[in-house]
Amino acid sequence: MKPGWMCLLLMLVACSEPGSEGELLYVAPYTTACIGVGPMDCMRVRHSREENYQLFYDAIEGFRFEQGYRYTLRVEVSELETPPADGSRLRYRLLEVIDKEAVEP
């Protein structure tokens, strides 16, 4: 696993607030070509408006990304008991689409 990916995973776990209903994710309006298990398109996410976007290699259950829209999402993040050897140990599930804003290309 790449060092940048590990930092993102650690930030996700560390930023969880006890007792809060999920975490906020800010999703950029366009995907970026990346390499995970193989070549793929990755969403770009950040945890606050002040941070830079980071590549997001996972899927968010219940969320359908549309190019050209900036999203603010509330997601539940949980750890898998038996993660796949070539995948993340975290599972993301959509709780709420807080905002969906169209952006100009």
Side-chain angles (χ1 to χ4, degrees):
M1 196 176 292
K2 296 185 178 190
W5 180 237
M6 286 300 294
C7 288
L8 178 62
L9 291 176
L10 290 172
M11 281 187 349
L12 286 173
V13 173
C15 291
S16 296
E17 295 178 21
S20 68
E21 277 295 315
E23 294 182 15
L24 288 181
L25 283 183
Y26 300 91
V27 182
Y30 300 100
T31 57
T32 299
C34 62
I35 298 187
V37 175
M40 57 192 275
D41 283 330
C42 290
M43 290 186 291
R44 296 177 301 131
V45 304
R46 58 187 178 185
H47 298 279
S48 75
R49 295 183 192 277
E50 294 78 34
E51 293 179 352
N52 292 323
Y53 285 107
Q54 302 288 323
L55 293 176
F56 187 78
Y57 294 85
D58 290 314
I60 300 172
E61 291 177 21
F63 175 64
R64 184 175 173 271
F65 178 81
E66 290 182 64
Q67 299 275 357
Y69 290 92
R70 183 179 297 125
Y71 294 91
T72 303
L73 308 176
R74 184 171 308 283
V75 298
E76 174 185 79
V77 182
S78 57
E79 286 196 41
L80 297 172
E81 287 187 27
T82 54
D86 59 353
S88 173
R89 63 181 177 83
L90 298 177
R91 174 183 166 258
Y92 298 86
R93 186 175 64 87
L94 179 66
L95 297 174
E96 176 184 8
V97 176
I98 295 170
D99 190 39
K100 179 180 178 182
E101 175 187 354
V103 296
E104 296 293 323

